[in-house]
Amino acid sequence: MIVVYLILLAVIQAVVEFLPVSSMGHLCALEQLMGINHGTGLLLEAILHLGTAAAIIFLFRKDLKKIALELLGMFMDLIGNLNIYIYNKKTGKNLNYARIVTGTYRKLGALLVISMIPTALLGFTGRRLALLAADSPIVPGIGFLLTGVLLLVTDLNKSGGKKGPKEASYDSAMWIGICQGLAVFPGISRMGLTLCAALLCGYNRKFAVRFSVFMSLPAIVGAFFTEIGNFGASEMTVGLGFAYVFAMVIAGFVGCLVIRSTVAMVQNMKLRYFAYYSFAVGIITLALNFVL
């Protein structure tokens, strides 16, 4: 039966991961209804997210490859500029330095690196609270309601602008990274917070959605490595470990099937509809926990 539950969780994760409605909240709420405990910490959630991250990498591999190459180029230019600095100091000459951030993909890479800093700090320090919240009967429901409020306010405010990566600022990337770090709690949608933050910073909807998707990758990988030690937990068996990995594969496969349609949905639909959905799920989650 646990395998059937894990397959269901994997499909839910894949479908809602790319929507601003908190996949973590859905997982925790369903786990409580199914009687699945967190004896292995948040390892299951981390593995399922890793599966959908693989779908992102596969479907956006061309863009991600360009970003990775530009980040490598930036690193090499930094090393070159350091050598030029040392040479100028020794010889008294004034050779020109290479410009580090040039072009769209370098700027996007720099923005992603900046956003990773607060995400990593908040995510690491808040992981214990996140585990407690995952076992709470009310936190996921409250998180859904808070996410709905944020989405509704952003929609009614008609937030968003024309900024793309070239016009984006590093301080806005930092704020968006902070929002992603705060979304470690179930029910608080990572994409919802980062998308709303990007729109409030004046980004256009298409770039805001893509930036939110891309910045999730280092956060997901980082979360997995913080939870990987739970493979040695007393509750973990060989069979359960294989079931977790199987669920990850299912999440990745389903994610590949739905990611383009769900991302397009987020780019084109009004955020208020996702807000209404979050309100409904939040109310149902709270009601079920008080009734059962």
Side-chain angles (χ1 to χ4, degrees), residues 138-162:
I138 63 172
V139 169
I142 293 174
F144 280 121
L145 296 179
L146 292 175
T147 296
V149 170
L150 180 61
L151 291 170
L152 186 59
V153 169
T154 303
D155 183 87
L156 295 177
N157 194 42
K158 297 182 179 179
S159 300
K162 298 182 179 180

Side-chain angles (χ1 to χ4, degrees), residues 191-252:
M191 173 170 269
L193 258 67
T194 56
L195 176 59
C196 289
L199 293 175
L200 290 169
C201 288
Y203 290 7
N204 66 66
R205 176 74 78 91
K206 183 177 180 180
F207 174 66
V209 172
R210 182 158 293 203
F211 186 66
S212 178
V213 170
F214 287 170
M215 70 185 292
S216 71
L217 291 176
I220 290 172
V221 174
F224 172 73
F225 280 107
T226 61
E227 297 294 332
I228 196 171
N230 286 312
F231 270 114
S234 59
E235 290 83 356
M236 177 60 70
T237 63
V238 175
L240 186 59
F242 276 111
Y244 277 16
V245 173
F246 178 68
M248 178 185 70
V249 174
I250 295 296

Side-chain angles (χ1 to χ4, degrees), residues 15 32 44 49 69 71 116 136 145 201 214 257 260 262:
V15 172
Q32 290 175 13
L44 173 58
H49 278 79
L69 290 175
L71 286 173
M116 285 167 52
S136 169
L145 296 179
C201 288
F214 287 170
L257 297 178
R260 293 194 184 280
T262 52

Side-chain angles (χ1 to χ4, degrees), residues 164-197:
K166 291 183 178 179
E167 300 82 16
S169 61
Y170 297 116
D171 59 336
S172 67
M174 183 70 74
W175 282 112
I176 298 171
I178 291 173
C179 289
Q180 179 165 254
L182 294 174
V184 296
F185 301 103
I188 303 293
S189 171
R190 185 206 60 79
M191 173 170 269
L193 258 67
T194 56
L195 176 59
C196 289

Side-chain angles (χ1 to χ4, degrees), residues 49-78:
H49 278 79
L50 195 64
T52 49
I56 295 172
I57 294 172
F58 177 74
L59 291 171
F60 293 99
R61 58 190 179 277
K62 292 182 179 179
D63 287 326
L64 293 172
K65 181 180 179 180
K66 290 179 181 179
I67 293 172
L69 290 175
E70 291 299 341
L71 286 173
L72 179 60
M74 290 171 64
F75 177 75
M76 297 304 295
D77 284 344
L78 284 171

